[in-house]
Amino acid sequence: MKRYIMVAVAMALLLSAGGGRTFAAEKTLSLAPNASSAILIERDTGTVLFDKNSHKKLPPASMTKIMTMILIMETLDSGKIKLTDPVRVSEYAASMGGSQIFLEPGEEMTVHDLMKGIAIGSANDASVAMAEKVGGSESSFVDMMNKKAKQLGLNDTFFKNVTGLPAAGHYSSAHDMAIMGKELLKHEEITKYTGQYEQYLRQNTPNKFWLVNTNRLVKFYPGTDGLKTGFTQEAKYCLTATAKKHDMRVIAVVMGAPNPKERNKQITSMFDYAFSQYATKKLFDRHQIVKQVKIQKANKQNLAVVTSESISILSKRGEKENKVIPKVTVMPDLKMPIKKGEQVGMLSIVKDGKTITKSPLLASENVKSASWWSLFKRTIGHMAQSK
């Protein structure tokens, strides 16, 4: 039977932290008075800083494309597709109405350019073209979206399409959109798309197309680099936005605002509140090694376990600093082969005996079962050392 080591090590790091507790959501603040629902969270910890009807199920409009982009980025990370891959546009994808980059049936465009169309221009035709590339069909891709929503624990969300065009039974909530935004931001390269204010498609052709970001805060609020706007007559004006100042990144969501000006005003008021009242202290970077774990009967004797995301502690400005203890736990029942990026454990941040943050730990590389010859040589080596 394969044996693995359960590691529960309190790392003796005297890390400064500002009470990384979950702060009570500030419901008395008037940060989003003219919205159906809203939420403000700190990205690394997921701490809710402001909440207004955040679990109310509402049409998310084009904010749906946050989940579309999550699955595209995951597929890119897996190596199944590349940014340079050409995507042939189907009749169905080209028929999408609403926001579009006017793809023609049979036209080929790279994954990279289609991502620009989705992230900057909120293009419905580009979204469907990528859904067909990744999932084989839009319906299969929608199944993937709903499966991912379940994995993320999103109880207020169900998708019927990849675009957010009106559809009965297609809904989400401000809370769930914030969690999706948090997940998308794990792919740090996504802001290279969502953070651009303008770009061009089909350059050096007669059909050169100018893209302008539907999220104007990317240009007008310092530190804003995403994520996705939304509008339909039913949903009104929506926005899931993120901004970073120093080491602190926050995500704000507004749903059901009456106009773009009011939507942006409410998002900026939440950003101003977060950055003026709170601060974070980073403990770990994304993909930082936190433990070297010995594994038996594998082609490698040690596996570097790494963080899946950046880990920080949130504090109120001016609050007394406290010590925290990171605890690393590695799963005892890992099965070979282990794939790079597979969850192999959990990092918990403990303060005053209470766990305040938990985050998955990942394998840093592929690990296969050792050959019998490798195990034989390893056994002989151990016997020689014990003499």
Side-chain angles (χ1 to χ4, degrees), residues 238-364:
C238 308
L239 176 57
T240 298
T242 184
K244 185 176 181 181
K245 191 172 184 180
H246 304 302
D247 280 337
M248 182 175 174
R249 178 179 285 281
V250 296
I251 300 169
V253 183
V254 162
M255 300 182 76
N259 54 63
K261 183 178 180 180
E262 188 63 32
R263 174 187 66 188
N264 293 348
K265 177 183 177 182
Q266 293 175 94
I267 290 288
T268 56
S269 68
M270 285 192 277
F271 283 167
D272 288 344
Y273 170 74
F275 292 127
S276 67
Q277 298 300 310
Y278 295 91
T280 58
K281 183 176 181 64
K282 182 173 286 188
L283 305 183
F284 298 94
D285 289 317
R286 187 185 185 214
H287 293 164
Q288 181 175 334
I289 296 174
V290 297
K291 189 71 180 177
Q292 291 282 354
V293 179
K294 291 185 177 180
I295 47 178
Q296 298 181 3
K297 298 184 180 180
N299 64 330
K300 303 177 187 294
Q301 294 190 59
N302 294 287
L303 172 64
V305 177
V306 300
T307 55
S308 60
E309 57 189 329
S310 59
I311 306 295
S312 301
I313 294 297
L314 182 69
S315 65
K316 271 272 196 181
R317 288 193 178 275
E319 191 174 64
K320 182 180 178 181
E321 294 184 347
N322 295 284
K323 297 176 184 177
V324 296
I325 302 174
K327 296 182 69 174
V328 177
T329 305
V330 176
M331 296 175 180
D333 56 349
L334 295 173
K335 301 291 191 299
M336 296 296 169
I338 300 172
K339 294 182 179 180
K340 180 180 178 180
E342 179 181 339
Q343 183 176 346
V344 295
M346 189 69 71
L347 174 65
S348 302
I349 306 300
V350 180
K351 174 181 174 288
D352 298 332
K354 295 181 179 180
T355 299
I356 56 175
T357 300
K358 296 182 74 172
S359 181
L361 292 173
L362 310 178
S364 62

Side-chain angles (χ1 to χ4, degrees), residues 140-207:
S140 294
F141 192 87
V142 170
D143 289 341
M144 294 168 61
M145 294 168 71
N146 286 316
K147 182 179 179 181
K148 184 66 178 181
K150 287 184 178 180
Q151 290 174 354
L152 294 174
L154 308 183
N155 297 319
D156 309 326
T157 296
F158 193 81
F159 298 112
K160 289 294 188 73
N161 57 52
V162 304
T163 61
L165 288 170
H170 184 104
Y171 56 83
S172 189
S173 68
H175 170 272
D176 285 6
M177 293 310 311
I179 299 303
M180 282 182 253
K182 187 177 188 296
E183 184 71 14
L184 180 58
L185 286 165
K186 288 182 180 179
H187 306 276
E188 295 172 351
E189 57 278 11
I190 192 62
T191 55
K192 294 178 182 178
Y193 295 100
T194 61
Q196 294 187 64
Y197 182 69
E198 58 184 349
Q199 258 294 346
Y200 287 93
L201 297 174
R202 305 185 187 93
Q203 294 196 59
N204 304 317
T205 76
N207 299 318

Side-chain angles (χ1 to χ4, degrees), residues 100-111:
Q100 56 185 301
I101 53 175
F102 300 98
L103 294 170
E104 294 288 341
E107 180 180 359
E108 286 193 350
M109 189 172 282
T110 64
V111 171

Side-chain angles (χ1 to χ4, degrees), residues 370-383:
S371 66
W372 70 269
W373 179 244
S374 295
L375 290 174
F376 175 73
K377 290 194 297 182
R378 194 177 298 168
T379 301
I380 295 299
H382 289 160
M383 291 173 63

